[in-house]
Amino acid sequence: MQFGVFTVGDVTPDPTTGRTPTEAERIKAMVAIALKAEEVGLDVFATGEHHNPPFVPSSPTTMLGYIAARTERLVLSTATTLITTNDPVKIAEDFAMLQHLADGRVDLMMGRGNTGPVYPWFGKDIRDGIDLAIENYHLLHRLWREDVVDWEGRHRTPLQSFTSTPRPLDGVPPFVWHGSIRSPEIAEQAAYYGDGFFANNIFWPKEHFIRLINLYRERYEHYGHGSAGQAVVGLGGQVFMRRNSQDAVREFRPYFDNAPVYGHGPSLEDFTSQTPLTVGSPQEVVEKTLSFRQHFGDYQRQLFLVDHAGLPLKTVLEQLDLLGEIVPVLRREFAAGRPAEVPDAPTHASLRQAAAQRKAEVR
Amino acid sequence: MTTIAVVSAGLSEPSSSHLLADRLAAGVGAVLPVEVRTVHLRDVARDVADNLVTGFPSARLKAVVDDVVGADGLIAVTPTFNASYSGLFKSFVDVLEPESLAGKPVLIGATGGTERHSLVLDYALRPLFAYLKADVVPTGVYAASSDWGSPQGLSDRIDRASAELAGLLAGRAPAAPVDKFADVVPFDQLLAGKRHS
């Protein structure tokens, strides 16, 4: 089981001081969060990709490459990489390059992006969102697995005798997660390829995601990648902790009330009862996080959102210290009673080993 | 039994919109045995606003939405505010999933202080439900304040509209909600650019 943090990279005023960080401060804060994640024993750091203010991370592999040079263990990922508006050729190249620089500590999560104007800025149309996600990923999948690709599709100029460089590290493409909040088509896509499925469940009630994840699991088995219980599932979580539960609520409330996504809507109490958001003591976060397994089955990756809504870096780093304290507890509890057949999240090492095994079997 | 959902966006208590909605439901019930589920949007006003902000319904609002989209027919009544349906009425419609009222028999009603607004049915409500691909009965019922004191007219319109809705509902197969999770398009079709089989 992997634990990590994912960040949207929003530049949001701190509602308690009115101060807005500069872009430089926010970008450096994201790096500091990643370094801290490794320091406290987390496994994964994932950055969003955005091409509009108030977000800064437009160039994820640049940031992840820099973090790769300053970390040793951390898996570098995205949440999400826009498979709709990015050229799949450039994604293939950027992430293969990152793989080499990071010695394989790379995977990525495909997403469509939900901001209408971003599509035309990159010459696309949001109404083609699902089609773009399907066609572009199919090309990306081939570019990492075939040295020379001839290709023709509806959304990109054809390719004749094209080789994406560098080739994936050790001939092993980065593991791919497909992120979706509501589309059964994306669950179907992840299942078809035997890729991971990440349900960003943090803003909505669990009932919806139970159906989405069950669909992915059923179709994963249907396509012959393993049993439904072996499908590779990732989940989000959103937490704010203080030793004392009331302190956490008091401190987080102004951030919640003014948060860009859900602020000025439901009360903190309503939202915590309806979504994975947990504001309280470390023990309460442990309990809520462990409940995910009951709803969604044993899963592989848990990413927490800890740095949005204008929370200052100092506070976020304190949150990471607390996460570092509870993650060993979570590891132990999630391991207890986990069926032996449930795999860990694929890593470069495990994928390389599996590829070598397949090769040996063919011989 | 045939089910009808009765949605009233009236804000006061008592409310002429509630009254009209109840009269319409009783009119349908007089022609056809129906199970009626009544929703006063006022009771879920904050839930509707929260849904607009967060993108998901609270448990309380979800129960209401399920009643409405799961019913065989719908009676929808709104007060006339500034020459149109009320904001709460439209916000409720806005939190329904796309296509969730497609094909549903609907009877539209509106209330107002003066009969000068009676065309709100035909320039505001009817186009809204046409866009939602609902099956709106030809007669809508508008009740101005003065109508409640008239000997005739309103009752006739209620009877005619109710009979039209009952006529649409009689012998009709029960509503079957679309389940996009149960009916997934296989990936080879998605890859071939066919979103909908």
Side-chain angles (χ1 to χ4, degrees), chain A residues 130-131 134 138 154 182 184-185 188-189 192-193 203-205 208 211-212 215 219 223 261-266 271 274-275, chain B residues 46-47 49-50 53-59 62 97-98 179-182 184-188 190-196:
Chain A
I130 294 267
D131 287 338
I134 287 165
H138 199 62
R154 293 181 299 277
R182 60 186 304 157
E185 292 93 338
E188 171 73 4
Q189 180 188 34
Y192 174 82
Y193 291 100
F203 297 131
W204 282 8
H208 168 77
R211 305 203 65 196
L212 198 56
L215 172 65
R219 300 299 287 176
Y223 285 114
V261 178
Y262 42 72
H264 310 287
F271 203 70
Q274 292 164 350
T275 75
Chain B
R46 287 194 58 155
D47 302 77
D50 285 352
V53 171
T54 62
F56 70 85
S58 65
K62 182 162 191 311
E97 288 288 323
D179 185 350
K180 61 180 185 167
F181 289 100
V184 65
V185 181
F187 194 76
D188 54 354
L190 290 175
L191 202 52
K194 293 180 190 132
R195 290 279 304 284
H196 310 286

Side-chain angles (χ1 to χ4, degrees), chain B:
Chain B
M1 195 190 290
T2 303
T3 57
I4 53 173
V6 178
V7 172
S8 168
L11 292 178
S12 56
E13 197 66 62
S15 143
S16 58
S17 291
H18 295 351
L19 193 56
L20 176 59
D22 291 344
R23 291 275 305 270
L24 291 167
V28 177
V31 185
L32 189 74
V34 286
E35 186 187 321
V36 177
R37 295 169 194 161
T38 302
V39 178
H40 293 167
L41 293 184
R42 183 198 160 89
D43 297 343
V44 288
R46 287 194 58 155
D47 302 77
V48 169
D50 285 352
N51 190 347
L52 292 173
V53 171
T54 62
F56 70 85
S58 65
R60 181 169 49 185
L61 179 58
K62 182 162 191 311
V64 166
V65 168
D66 287 349
D67 274 353
V68 170
V69 303
D72 297 311
L74 171 64
I75 295 171
V77 181
T78 177
T80 307
F81 286 177
N82 294 307
S84 187
Y85 32 68
S86 80
L88 177 58
F89 182 84
K90 178 60 161 50
S91 292
F92 177 71
V93 170
D94 288 349
V95 303
L96 301 177
E97 288 288 323
E99 302 287 321
S100 61
L101 295 184
K104 190 176 298 298
V106 174
L107 165 51
I108 53 176
T111 58
T114 155
E115 47 280 85
R116 289 188 191 92
H117 281 305
S118 62
L119 278 173
V120 68
L121 288 170
D122 294 310
Y123 66 71
L125 280 153
R126 199 172 289 280
L128 173 64
F129 285 97
Y131 175 77
L132 298 168
K133 303 190 186 74
D135 195 352
V136 185
V137 299
T139 303
V141 180
Y142 181 86
S145 299
S146 56
D147 282 312
W148 300 103
S150 305
Q152 288 282 305
L154 179 59
S155 297
D156 296 344
R157 297 202 298 278
I158 288 171
D159 290 347
R160 187 165 70 231
S162 303
E164 286 170 1
L165 182 62
L168 263 187
L169 289 169
R172 202 176 172 106
V178 178
D179 185 350
K180 61 180 185 167
F181 289 100
D183 193 20
V184 65
V185 181
F187 194 76
D188 54 354
Q189 288 183 34
L190 290 175
L191 202 52
K194 293 180 190 132
R195 290 279 304 284
H196 310 286
S197 53

Side-chain angles (χ1 to χ4, degrees), chain A residues 268-283:
Chain A
L268 175 60
E269 286 71 15
D270 279 349
F271 203 70
T272 46
S273 73
Q274 292 164 350
T275 75
L277 173 65
T278 315
V279 182
S281 67
Q283 182 55 32

Side-chain angles (χ1 to χ4, degrees), chain A residues 68-358:
Chain A
R70 300 187 56 190
T71 52
E72 288 175 0
R73 237 181 11 82
L74 197 63
V75 172
L76 309 166
S77 189
T78 57
T80 61
T81 291
L82 301 176
I83 188 62
T84 47
T85 48
N86 283 306
D87 183 355
V89 168
K90 197 68 169 73
I91 297 177
E93 295 177 340
D94 283 345
F95 282 86
M97 176 68 95
L98 181 61
Q99 257 196 322
H100 284 273
L101 290 170
D103 300 315
R105 288 185 285 129
V106 175
D107 58 41
L108 66 162
M109 190 198 302
M110 297 298 157
R112 298 205 302 281
N114 60 4
T115 311
V118 174
Y119 284 74
W121 289 332
F122 291 89
K124 306 297 182 195
D125 184 330
I126 195 168
R127 290 169 298 182
D128 297 331
I130 294 267
D131 287 338
L132 283 162
I134 287 165
E135 178 176 303
N136 283 351
Y137 181 65
H138 199 62
L139 173 57
L140 174 60
H141 195 263
R142 286 187 60 195
L143 290 169
W144 277 335
R145 286 163 178 81
E146 299 171 34
D147 287 339
V148 183
V149 170
D150 289 345
W151 181 86
E152 197 181 325
R154 293 181 299 277
H155 296 291
R156 194 199 181 283
T157 45
L159 298 169
Q160 299 290 339
S161 301
F162 178 78
T163 298
S164 158
T165 63
R167 303 304 301 145
L169 177 66
D170 304 322
V172 177
F175 186 70
V176 169
W177 301 81
H178 298 265
S180 182
I181 295 177
R182 60 186 304 157
S183 304
E185 292 93 338
I186 300 302
E188 171 73 4
Q189 180 188 34
Y192 174 82
Y193 291 100
D195 292 341
F197 183 65
F198 188 92
N200 188 10
N201 53 321
I202 65 175
F203 297 131
W204 282 8
K206 62 180 180 300
E207 288 72 19
H208 168 77
F209 294 101
I210 289 173
R211 305 203 65 196
L212 198 56
I213 289 169
N214 283 347
L215 172 65
Y216 161 68
R217 288 188 184 279
E218 280 163 28
R219 300 299 287 176
Y220 183 92
E221 183 167 307
H222 168 83
Y223 285 114
H225 301 295
S227 71
Q230 291 172 320
V232 184
V233 171
L235 293 170
Q238 190 189 0
V239 298
F240 188 86
M241 289 175 278
R242 289 297 180 202
R243 298 269 170 229
N244 182 318
S245 189
Q246 287 82 5
D247 291 343
V249 171
R250 193 178 314 119
E251 184 176 344
F252 189 64
R253 190 182 298 282
Y255 296 95
F256 176 88
D257 286 345
N258 294 286
V261 178
Y262 42 72
H264 310 287
S267 68
L268 175 60
E269 286 71 15
D270 279 349
F271 203 70
T272 46
S273 73
Q274 292 164 350
T275 75
L277 173 65
T278 315
V279 182
S281 67
Q283 182 55 32
E284 286 172 287
V285 170
V286 166
E287 282 162 19
K288 181 77 161 250
T289 308
L290 288 173
S291 76
F292 294 173
R293 171 162 69 166
Q294 290 156 26
H295 305 310
F296 307 112
D298 284 290
Y299 61 107
Q300 282 70 25
R301 175 174 284 185
Q302 172 65 54
L303 297 183
F304 293 104
L305 174 68
V306 292
D307 71 329
H308 76 313
L311 286 164
L313 178 61
K314 178 172 171 292
T315 306
V316 174
L317 297 180
E318 288 162 3
Q319 294 302 307
L320 283 160
D321 278 325
L322 291 165
L323 270 183
E325 286 180 27
I326 65 166
V327 158
V329 181
L330 288 172
R331 283 191 207 283
R332 197 171 60 235
E333 294 293 327
F334 274 115
R338 190 180 175 97
E341 60 151 25
V342 175
D344 286 330
T347 60
H348 183 73
S350 76
L351 292 170
R352 193 178 53 185
Q353 198 181 357
Q357 230 160 33
R358 273 197 306 275

